[in-house]
Amino acid sequence: MEGLVKAAVLALTAVGLSLVFGVMRVVNVAHGAFFMLGAVLAWTVAQYVPGDPMFGWFAALLIAPAIVAAIAATADTFVLKRLNYDPEATIVATIGLLYILEQAALSLFGPDAKPVPAPFNIRLQLPWFGYSGYKIFVVFAAVAVLLAVWWFMTRTRAGLVMRATQVDRQTARAFGINVDRVYAGVFALGAGLAAIAAVLLVPISQAHYLMGGDPLLLSFIVVIIGGLGSLRGTLVAALIIGLSDGVISMFWSPTLAKIIATAAVAMVLVFRPQGLFGARA
Amino acid sequence: MKIWILHIAVLLALVLAQLVLPPYHANNLSRILVLAVFAMGYNISFGYAGLLSLGHALLFAAGMYGAGMLVHHAGMPALPALIAGGLAGGAMAGLVGLLALRTAGVSFMIVTLMFAQVGFLSILYFNGVTGGDEGIALTGPQRQILGLDMTQDTPRFWVALILFAIALLVKLALVQSRFGRLMLAMRENEERSRMLGLNPFGIKLKILVISGVFSGVAGAAYALLFGYLGGSFASVQYSILPMLYVLLGGAGTVLGPLLGAGLMFYLVDFTSGLTSAYLMVVGAALVVLVLFAPKGILGTLRERWLPWLP
């Protein structure tokens, strides 16, 4: 169950990263910072909404991803666009962005981890053991969001435009698509997904200004194993990594689990750059 | 000729700086010189050969631990340990290069980043030997290089300066040699050099190993001169810093890393007096640099006025 929650949150984060890489060919190192920002904003929003924790949390679920997406769109317009999406320059720029966001969170939010109360506290009592109702809700919510993303990408006009831009930027532009706006939208959507994942997770763990590191590393791993830019591979890989990470950390130390996962991923990139599920380009 | 005169003049200016500056700044200068050696190693692979690695902290740490472990656990004298550190950095670079150079571009960056992360986590995991997060402090008797005491400011500066001078002159000779032009060929057009009958993989591997020796020596010197080695030196931040120095000073220039390291060191030093937001400065510097001055200070100078600058 723990593994399933982890996998669900991971899948959301990683799909955001994969989307950005797939459409824009940008490796977004600041993705973990967007995740962290989502959690931190969730805490802030929950502070200002009085009454039942439920209202605060739902308000956070609406507001935090919107703010994060807006920040991402701004960063895209003012920084990434001006670099012409040159892959090396954008990596350097997103590293810079990561530092700026982390420091901003540290200065404004403080160094301590802050808890956010869960919107509800129902325990699902089975005859032999109980489950936290919220964790089950997280899994279902993540699946719902992922389905929505899938529907958006395959069934709507905006999704079609995004996929067209992914396949051929020049031709898309020739057909009158505003590629710049598509890119800003995709970058915002990717960051927003990370923020949603963070808001879902934050009642279980806590908000902390350095919390972006782990999800970033893990989503990198997921995206690479699943094949860079392939959404279906990303989902499968998220399940595998999320579940196995829990299992390995239970039997051995979490550090060892990370060492193994990281080394495995480096090897995948070296020997099978298209990923385990991606088609050969 | 004027190239050599310029670089000798820079070295003489550094000697003068030690004599004139108050102890606090002279001490900073030794730190900057060691970091500049690291940045020069990074510049060899990134600035000249176009290999953007995000994992040079691994090479720095390889040198640092290669030397520090020998001194701490085996009681080796500092000078052979320094050399061993350089060899460790080179060997690690060769190992990483054999695997990572099968990829290029974005994949190369991610693979090097991942290898560095594996190294960082391994240092934490084997904390019984490496000291993990807390690190290991080297004691006074372990820090004697040829009878010079590294716990004293003045001898420490001279050792840092001698190391820097050797590194600078070696690098200058390197980039002006035939091999230096091969490095540029890797950056400018790898396919064409392959067509001309060169072996890009072999050349890039050599470049990485040279870069690794520089980084390893810098790591070893950092441990021996300042008496401390710790896991944090293997973290991502120490892969980003040399990149920042090189970008600021000018990628593909011999003196750029020194200029970048010095400016960045004092920028951080200055701002940390004003705010605690030191990472913000690093981040903002990175963004501003890639946006407005992708060639760095000396790179822009060379483009506009001094085409002969190596």
Side-chain angles (χ1 to χ4, degrees), chain B residues 146-162:
Chain B
L146 294 179
L148 292 170
D149 185 2
M150 288 304 108
T151 54
Q152 301 297 317
D153 287 349
T154 314
R156 174 159 64 197
F157 176 83
W158 291 119
V159 171
L161 181 62
I162 289 169

Side-chain angles (χ1 to χ4, degrees), chain B residues 49-295:
Chain B
L51 295 167
L52 206 170
S53 138
L54 292 177
H56 261 60
L58 180 63
L59 309 178
F60 189 73
M64 176 172 256
Y65 278 91
M69 291 291 96
L70 284 172
V71 169
H72 184 76
H73 290 299
M76 188 188 256
L79 188 63
L82 191 65
I83 295 166
L87 294 179
M92 186 62 90
L95 201 67
V96 170
L98 274 179
L99 290 165
L101 283 176
R102 295 159 138 267
T103 64
V106 172
S107 301
F108 181 78
M109 299 181 222
I110 300 179
V111 169
T112 47
L113 179 69
M114 296 257 159
F115 278 131
Q117 200 62 23
V118 170
F120 172 57
L121 292 171
S122 305
I123 288 174
L124 296 187
Y125 187 67
F126 296 106
N127 56 3
V129 187
T130 59
D133 243 351
E134 284 176 24
I136 295 172
L138 298 176
T139 55
Q142 292 170 331
R143 292 165 58 198
Q144 306 278 337
I145 297 180
L146 294 179
L148 292 170
D149 185 2
M150 288 304 108
T151 54
Q152 301 297 317
D153 287 349
T154 314
R156 174 159 64 197
F157 176 83
W158 291 119
V159 171
L161 181 62
I162 289 169
L163 265 181
F164 174 79
I166 296 173
L168 186 75
L169 297 179
V170 166
K171 189 177 162 201
L172 190 56
L174 184 74
V175 299
Q176 294 196 307
S177 66
R178 192 181 114 81
F179 190 72
R181 285 196 290 279
L182 286 183
M183 296 186 354
L184 295 185
M186 293 299 113
R187 183 182 72 190
E188 296 302 332
N189 198 332
E190 192 180 324
E191 282 312 308
R192 178 167 295 178
S193 59
R194 196 194 306 275
M195 192 196 78
L196 291 171
L198 298 166
N199 171 10
F201 184 84
I203 295 171
K204 286 198 285 189
L205 190 61
K206 268 186 219 160
I207 293 168
L208 260 196
V209 169
I210 296 171
S211 170
V213 171
F214 273 71
S215 311
V217 167
Y222 207 93
L224 295 167
L225 265 57
F226 304 104
Y228 171 74
L229 48 152
S232 59
F233 290 106
S235 64
V236 184
Q237 212 184 343
Y238 275 80
S239 297
I240 307 294
L241 282 179
M243 179 170 76
L244 187 60
Y245 298 155
V246 168
L247 279 173
L248 178 61
T253 59
V254 173
L255 286 171
L258 174 68
L259 189 64
L263 283 178
M264 206 59 221
F265 192 95
Y266 272 101
L267 186 62
V268 169
D269 193 60
F270 175 68
T271 47
S272 59
L274 300 176
T275 71
S276 61
Y278 131 82
L279 277 179
M280 182 85 91
V281 176
V282 175
L286 277 173
V287 173
V288 168
L289 272 174
V290 286
L291 271 182
F292 300 109
K295 290 199 162 72

